[in-house]
């Protein structure tokens, strides 16, 4: 890979393997790289173990979203979803198990897929992207069961609320919509930018970051990152972070969030920012925690750089994996 | 096997006393002087001195043997001591490991508790923003009372209005009847004030009776 390409590379998505030993990362060139965590974290790790064990071109467009099921890696790019078997990828056999495309209304323009979320309750995949709709696909037979329409602009992020069997979607139109998967109706629509405490009109009204903990929801983007209580649909805390956040996650008793700004922010649910840990990329797109393995429990962040930072201890960056 | 033990013996002996100085040499010298003393036809005094000298050497050998035995005992005891310390340390290590895992569990619990506490705080903040329920109930009661009072007043006013209406109706109808009666009566007599008064009086009484 030429140095110029490396300079312009952005990592958009990450996913850990079900066994927890491998990390797949997708970039803006449509490539997916597979890194071996056990090699990089092992006692005799060297420069070479921080390079991918396998790199392949998955799609023509950027790979905006990666998701792992128990056996497959799902990648979304250029309006289609491809599935790759993890066992085959580990053996360096690059062949997609299947490739499917949601039913788009217009066949001229192919909208990109920005987010995917897995609903383990009914083994379905929610996919959201440029056509302003959320498509639900049944993973058993591959058919697209339903389409959730309601957003007036493209969808940035999706999250699944397991306990209530609902899907949450955040979009460019500034609305967070909560859909009931059984009836495919929009149960709630929260326009975050209309709340004075969260709104930041200088940045815009888009929601690029959404995650839920069944009782609580974090959402941010143009408006400040805020914690919402879902039962009462009210914002309880607003986090004083200056940049626009792109991904947030609940971890133990903390909230980890990344976005514009060269750091991972650790926040408490009360609304205070406990720490900001610096990392390599100047603007971070994705954050992932390896919950599939106990001995390789690391946090990885990727963004506008060909380096993926690996944190073995949440307080500092241990090393970087390189494309 | 004999060769092996010989080698071992030779190695050990070389290790202990390789250069020939010390105990080994002393024993050899003693043996040689004993044979010489047995075989020498020397004077009794010389024989006696030689005899004493041999005793001395023998005592030296015994002394050195005792010393080595004591060192051996000491080594054994040191070994036991070290064994004890070693097992002690092993126990400490295992108990420390257990304590570490206990503490880790404690941390997890504490983190969960902290998270719950923060969620509670966040919700409490939201709830605080809404007004107190007692206050609202009291306000509602006060408003109800006001409402009741106002409706009472309205009823009273309505009743008064009805009464007035009825009174005026009676008055007006009586006036009209009087008018009609006056119109019906033929005007036989000239309009005289006295007559009119008496007529007015006559007309009044039936009206009063009528009421």
């Amino acid at each position: 890979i030429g140095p110029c390409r490396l300079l312009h590379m952005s990592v958009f998505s990450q996913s850990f393997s079900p066994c927890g030993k491998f990390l797949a990362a997708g970039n803006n060139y449509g490539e997916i790289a597979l890194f071996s965590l056990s090699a990089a974290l092992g006692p005799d790790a060297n420069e070479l173990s921080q390079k991918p064990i396998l790199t392949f071109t998955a799609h023509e467009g950027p790979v905006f979203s990666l998701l792992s099921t128990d056996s497959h890696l799902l990648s979304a790019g250029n309006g289609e979803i491809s599935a790759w078997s993890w066992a085959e990828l580990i053996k360096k056999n690059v062949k997609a198990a299947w490739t499917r495309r949601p039913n788009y209304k217009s066949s001229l323009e192919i909208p990109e897929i920005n987010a995917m979320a897995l609903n383990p309750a009914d083994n379905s995949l929610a996919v959201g992207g440029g056509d302003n709709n959320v498509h639900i696909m049944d993973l058993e037979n591959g058919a697209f069961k339903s389409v959730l329409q309601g957003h007036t602009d493209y969808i940035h992020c999706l999250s699944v609320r397991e306990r209530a069997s609902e899907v949450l979607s955040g979009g460019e139109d500034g609305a967070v919509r909560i859909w009931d998967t059984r009836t495919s109706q929009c149960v709630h629509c929260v326009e975050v930018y209309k709340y004075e405490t969260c709104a930041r009109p200088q940045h815009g009204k888009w929601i690029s970051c959404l995650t839920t903990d069944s009782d609580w929801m974090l959402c941010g983007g143009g408006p400040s990152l805020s914690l919402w209580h879902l039962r009462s649909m009210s914002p309880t805390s607003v986090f004083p972070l200056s940049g626009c956040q792109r991904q947030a996650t609940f971890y133990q008793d903390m909230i980890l969030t990344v976005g514009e700004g060269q750091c991972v922010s650790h926040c408490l649910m009360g609304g205070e920012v406990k720490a900001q840990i610096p990392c390599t990329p100047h603007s971070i797109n994705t954050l992932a925690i390896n919950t599939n393995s106990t001995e390789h429990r690391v946090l990885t962040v990727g963004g506008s750089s060909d380096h993926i930072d690996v944190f073995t201890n949440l307080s500092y960056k241990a090393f970087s994996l390189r494309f | 096997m004999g060769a092996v033990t010989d080698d071992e013996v030779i190695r050990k002996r070389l290790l202990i006393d390789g250069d020939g100085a010390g105990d080994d040499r002393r024993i050899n010298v003693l043996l040689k002087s004993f044979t010489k003393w047995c075989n020498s036809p020397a004077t009794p005094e010389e024989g006696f001195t030689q005899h004493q000298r041999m005793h001395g050497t023998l005592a030296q050998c015994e002394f050195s043997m005792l010393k080595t035995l004591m060192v051996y005992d000491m080594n054994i005891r040191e070994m036991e001591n070290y064994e004890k310390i070693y097992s002690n340390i092993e126990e400490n290590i295992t108990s420390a490991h257990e304590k570490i895992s206990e503490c880790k569990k404690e941390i997890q619990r504490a983190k969960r508790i902290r998270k719950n506490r923060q969620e509670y705080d966040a919700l409490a903040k939201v709830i605080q923003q809404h007004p107190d329920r007692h206050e609202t109930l009291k306000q509602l009661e006060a408003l109800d009372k006001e409402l009741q009072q106002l409706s009472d007043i309205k009823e009273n006013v309505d009743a008064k209005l009805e009464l007035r209406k009825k009174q005026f109706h009676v008055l007006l109808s009586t006036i009209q009847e009087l008018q009609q009666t006056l119109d019906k009566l033929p005007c036989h007599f000239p309009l005289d004030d006295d007559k009119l008064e008496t007529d007015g009086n006559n007309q009044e009484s039936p009206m009063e009776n009528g009421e």
Side-chain angles (χ1 to χ4, degrees):
Chain A
I1 308 177
C4 202
R5 276 194 104 209
L6 283 177
L7 211 59
H8 289 283
M9 189 179 291
S10 282
V11 172
F12 282 122
S13 49
Q14 298 176 87
S15 184
F16 287 100
S17 65
C19 57
K21 299 205 186 109
F22 297 91
L23 170 68
N27 68 7
N28 58 336
Y29 297 124
E31 297 168 343
I32 296 179
L34 215 66
F35 295 90
S36 166
L37 284 175
S38 33
L41 291 168
D44 50 351
N46 53 11
E47 281 268 336
L48 205 60
S49 48
Q50 290 167 0
K51 292 292 238 171
I53 59 172
L54 172 67
T55 312
F56 61 96
T57 306
H59 298 274
E60 284 167 5
V63 181
F64 284 125
S65 176
L66 281 175
L67 192 67
S68 273
T69 62
D70 290 329
S71 55
H72 285 78
L73 174 69
L74 304 173
S75 64
N78 210 31
E80 61 190 13
I81 307 164
S82 300
W84 317 80
S85 162
W86 270 110
E88 296 295 312
L89 284 178
I90 293 170
K91 286 190 269 185
K92 309 211 180 159
N93 179 7
V94 177
K95 190 179 177 308
W98 46 258
T99 302
R100 294 198 188 107
R101 179 175 292 218
N103 311 317
Y104 297 122
K105 284 203 209 83
S106 81
S107 51
L108 292 164
E109 206 180 84
I110 302 172
E112 78 281 11
I113 294 178
N114 285 329
M116 294 194 289
L118 192 62
N119 187 355
D122 54 356
N123 203 18
S124 65
L125 184 72
V127 165
D131 67 337
N132 309 354
N133 298 334
V134 179
H135 298 262
I136 310 279
M137 181 180 101
D138 189 338
L139 281 172
E140 295 264 334
N141 51 25
F144 283 92
K145 289 194 292 196
S146 48
V147 178
L148 311 174
Q149 294 178 324
H151 277 282
T152 52
D153 213 338
Y154 63 90
I155 295 170
H156 276 278
C157 43
L158 288 173
S159 187
V160 166
R161 190 179 172 198
E162 286 173 23
R163 229 187 284 162
S165 186
E166 291 172 353
V167 170
L168 288 85
S169 58
E172 178 76 9
D173 56 354
V176 171
R177 281 179 183 263
I178 303 182
W179 313 85
D180 185 335
T181 45
R182 288 177 282 240
T183 61
S184 303
Q185 294 301 317
C186 179
V187 179
H188 277 120
C189 174
V190 180
E191 287 177 316
V192 183
Y193 63 95
K194 290 199 175 147
Y195 287 79
E196 268 182 43
T197 44
C198 321
R200 288 192 300 196
Q202 72 271 28
H203 283 119
K205 58 182 186 172
W206 39 276
I207 302 289
S208 61
C209 154
L210 188 64
T211 185
T212 179
D213 186 16
S214 278
D215 289 325
W216 301 83
M217 169 180 89
L218 276 171
C219 63
S224 310
L225 184 71
S226 45
L227 181 69
W228 290 66
H229 186 236
L230 283 173
R231 293 283 289 289
S232 58
M233 273 301 145
S234 55
T236 57
S237 335
V238 176
F239 298 96
L241 294 163
S242 57
C244 301
Q245 303 305 308
R246 297 216 185 94
Q247 190 143 4
T249 177
F250 291 95
Y251 182 65
Q252 290 177 349
D253 61 332
M254 283 195 303
I255 289 164
L256 305 173
T257 172
V258 289
E260 264 174 15
Q262 204 173 346
C263 58
V264 176
S265 307
H266 294 204
C267 312
L268 291 175
M269 293 184 83
E272 52 177 285
V273 178
K274 205 172 73 158
Q276 292 191 300
I277 318 292
C279 22
T280 329
H282 285 275
S283 163
I284 306 174
N285 293 326
T286 165
L287 167 116
I289 300 180
N290 190 6
T291 45
N292 296 339
S293 155
T294 43
E295 69 258 21
H296 300 314
R297 182 164 294 227
V298 295
L299 168 79
T300 52
V301 294
S304 59
S305 161
D306 59 318
H307 287 239
I308 297 176
D309 286 347
V310 178
F311 293 66
T312 45
N313 176 326
L314 286 182
S315 313
Y316 57 87
K317 177 194 96 162
F319 59 91
S320 297
L321 298 168
R322 274 176 289 277
F323 253 82
Chain B
M1 206 177 63
V4 173
T5 29
D6 271 350
D7 273 343
E8 285 285 314
V9 167
I10 289 173
R11 202 183 291 138
K12 270 222 160 66
R13 288 184 81 181
L14 281 171
L15 271 171
I16 296 170
D17 197 19
D19 53 354
D23 297 316
D24 215 22
R25 195 181 67 118
R26 211 178 284 142
I27 291 176
N28 288 339
V29 162
L30 179 64
L31 225 57
K32 276 198 202 118
S33 52
F34 181 66
T35 20
K36 222 188 349 183
W37 181 74
C38 287
N39 295 336
S40 70
T43 53
E45 290 108 18
E46 262 194 43
F48 188 65
T49 16
Q50 279 212 317
H51 178 85
Q52 293 290 62
R53 219 175 283 146
M54 277 199 297
H55 268 289
T57 332
L58 197 64
Q60 274 180 335
C61 290
E62 279 182 355
F63 175 68
S64 126
M65 184 189 82
L66 272 172
K67 207 162 67 164
T68 336
L69 269 174
M70 298 204 102
V71 168
Y72 174 70
D73 269 341
M74 175 197 84
N75 281 339
I76 288 185
R77 251 178 275 158
E78 275 294 303
M79 281 279 290
E80 279 174 25
N81 196 17
Y82 282 140
E83 286 281 335
K84 226 189 304 177
I85 294 179
Y86 178 75
S87 53
N88 207 9
I89 291 180
E90 285 251 328
E91 268 176 43
N92 283 351
I93 287 177
T94 38
S95 71
H97 270 302
E98 279 171 24
K99 256 187 240 160
I100 284 179
S101 49
E102 279 284 321
C103 285
K104 277 199 180 140
K105 264 186 251 176
E106 276 291 312
I107 275 193
Q108 291 297 329
R109 250 193 49 202
K111 281 195 174 153
R112 249 205 324 267
I113 289 174
R114 178 154 80 147
K115 182 174 180 182
N116 286 341
R117 214 174 274 157
Q118 285 180 330
E119 286 183 9
Y120 171 83
D121 278 339
L123 274 175
K125 233 191 323 180
V126 175
I127 289 173
Q128 286 287 68
Q129 287 170 0
H130 290 106
D132 197 9
R133 184 141 57 125
H134 289 297
E135 288 287 324
T136 335
L137 276 173
K138 261 193 259 176
Q139 276 179 4
L140 275 172
E141 268 182 39
L143 281 173
D144 268 338
K145 235 191 303 183
E146 228 186 283
L147 203 68
Q148 192 66 27
Q149 279 176 354
L150 287 172
S151 59
D152 282 341
I153 292 176
K154 180 170 179 275
E155 267 184 43
N156 284 346
V157 168
D158 275 341
K160 243 192 241 175
L161 188 68
E162 274 300 310
L163 185 63
R164 294 280 179 274
K165 260 197 215 163
K166 279 194 203 134
Q167 284 177 339
F168 269 110
H169 181 75
V170 169
L171 178 65
L172 282 171
S173 53
T174 328
I175 288 180
Q176 228 186 11
E177 265 179 41
L178 176 63
Q179 190 88 15
Q180 280 179 354
T181 333
L182 282 176
D183 284 341
K184 254 196 281 180
L185 276 176
C187 215
H188 293 300
F189 306 102
L191 280 169
D192 214 350
D193 288 35
D194 303 326
K195 273 284 191 287
L196 273 173
E197 268 185 25
T198 37
D199 278 357
N201 286 345
N202 284 344
Q203 287 296 326
E204 266 185 44
S205 21
M207 200 179 73
E208 279 177 46
N209 291 339
E211 259 187 58

